[in-house]
Amino acid sequence: MGRNTFLRLVNEAKKEGRNILYEYEVKNLLKSYAIDTTNPVFIRNKEQLESLNNINFPCVMKVVSTQIAHKSDIGGVILNIKNKEELLEAFEKIKNNTEKKGIKIEGVIVEEEVEKGLEIIIGSYKDPIFGNVIMLGSGGIYVEAYKDVSFRIVPINKRDAYEMIDETIIGSILKGFRGIKYDIFSVIDALIKVSNLIEDNQEIVELDLNPIYVYSQGIKVVDGRLKFV
């Protein structure tokens, strides 16, 4: 199922001249590997947004574009939308923010707003010598500043996942800090499932799942991007 989902999404992207998957497509792929994510709905225009029903407020709106790596940097993410009126206002705000910067957008996604958890990142890249490499570290907007990461060559097993957690600062927090406990077993499970995803789909050259919220029970992938060849 996972491989078939990947091929379908990649074929659709190639028809549009893309070598990346949009966030909502990445989340569809993750779900096919039983990795828990938020539930985005892709909206191309205001008319589709006006006809959107069964929205769970509060919700989040995010821009969809091939030209944007960090959506929040250009005003492309709006949180805590409480009703339909605010939803339509958010669409206009994102549209204006991107137009001012000359950025072409494909639309937006609307998804439920979830409780914040401990932020981690799971990612991968294709190394010219070692091949597919998986990474775990501290997540969020400061991931590049912290440089708190651990790497392994794909595929990994449960022992590898444990060791990756042990090698990071965020790992000491995951294992329990000041009485706060997080679901370390769900992190291990996610690492192994992402490893399987990468192993199954050798066309992937870059995967970035950041942030992933870790809770006392379970995890939730909140954002993600993927590049393929």
Side-chain angles (χ1 to χ4, degrees):
M1 180 182 176
R3 176 63 176 167
N4 289 338
T5 300
F6 176 79
L7 291 174
R8 175 177 58 79
L9 292 169
V10 165
N11 286 336
E12 290 171 1
K14 284 181 175 178
K15 288 176 184 176
E16 297 177 7
R18 291 187 275 129
N19 69 338
I20 66 163
L21 295 185
Y22 293 132
E23 178 185 337
Y24 70 94
E25 295 171 322
V26 174
K27 289 177 178 177
N28 285 341
L29 177 62
L30 294 175
K31 287 178 181 180
S32 73
Y33 281 85
I35 300 170
D36 198 13
T37 80
T38 49
N39 301 288
V41 177
F42 177 51
I43 303 294
R44 288 193 180 275
N45 51 51
K46 189 175 181 180
E47 289 70 32
Q48 285 186 354
L49 189 63
E50 287 173 336
S51 62
L52 185 63
N53 296 315
N54 302 319
I55 309 166
N56 292 320
F57 294 106
C59 66
V60 177
M61 183 178 288
K62 302 179 189 177
V63 67
V64 175
S65 172
T66 58
Q67 299 178 17
I68 302 169
H70 301 290
K71 295 183 278 287
S72 57
D73 290 352
I74 54 90
V77 179
I78 298 180
L79 307 173
N80 197 29
I81 300 169
K82 301 182 187 69
N83 52 53
K84 194 68 174 281
E85 183 180 352
E86 289 187 5
L87 193 68
L88 294 170
E89 289 173 359
F91 181 80
E92 292 301 323
K93 190 172 182 180
I94 286 177
K95 190 178 173 185
N96 291 336
N97 288 342
T98 52
E99 282 178 352
K100 286 176 186 175
K101 295 174 173 61
I103 296 170
K104 180 180 181 294
I105 70 171
E106 305 306 320
V108 298
I109 59 171
V110 176
E111 62 184 17
E112 75 277 17
E113 185 154 357
V114 296
E115 180 186 354
K116 275 201 168 188
L118 181 67
E119 294 184 335
I120 65 168
I121 179 174
I122 295 176
S124 77
Y125 68 94
K126 199 174 286 289
D127 184 89
I129 297 173
F130 298 108
N132 294 316
V133 175
I134 189 169
M135 177 263 285
L136 167 74
S138 299
I141 61 173
Y142 301 113
V143 61
E144 290 159 2
Y146 290 151
K147 293 183 170 59
D148 174 36
V149 291
S150 176
F151 299 93
R152 287 294 184 282
I153 297 171
V154 170
I156 65 168
N157 56 33
K158 193 174 287 188
R159 180 177 178 179
D160 295 320
Y162 270 111
E163 289 176 351
M164 291 176 76
I165 291 169
D166 283 339
E167 290 167 4
T168 59
I169 297 169
I170 199 73
S172 61
I173 300 173
L174 279 169
K175 287 182 283 188
F177 183 73
R178 293 187 175 179
I180 303 173
K181 293 186 178 180
Y182 295 97
D183 190 349
I184 195 169
F185 299 107
S186 286
V187 176
I188 291 166
D189 183 61
L191 278 166
I192 292 170
K193 286 175 177 175
V194 170
S195 173
N196 292 339
L197 186 158
I198 299 301
E199 185 77 354
D200 288 349
N201 305 291
Q202 293 292 323
E203 299 91 340
I204 297 173
V205 293
E206 188 178 319
L207 177 66
D208 184 357
L209 307 178
N210 179 39
I212 300 173
Y213 289 163
V214 186
Y215 304 107
S216 59
Q217 288 187 313
I219 64 156
K220 186 86 69 175
V221 179
V222 180
D223 202 350
R225 58 191 180 92
L226 183 153
K227 186 176 181 181
F228 61 86
V229 291

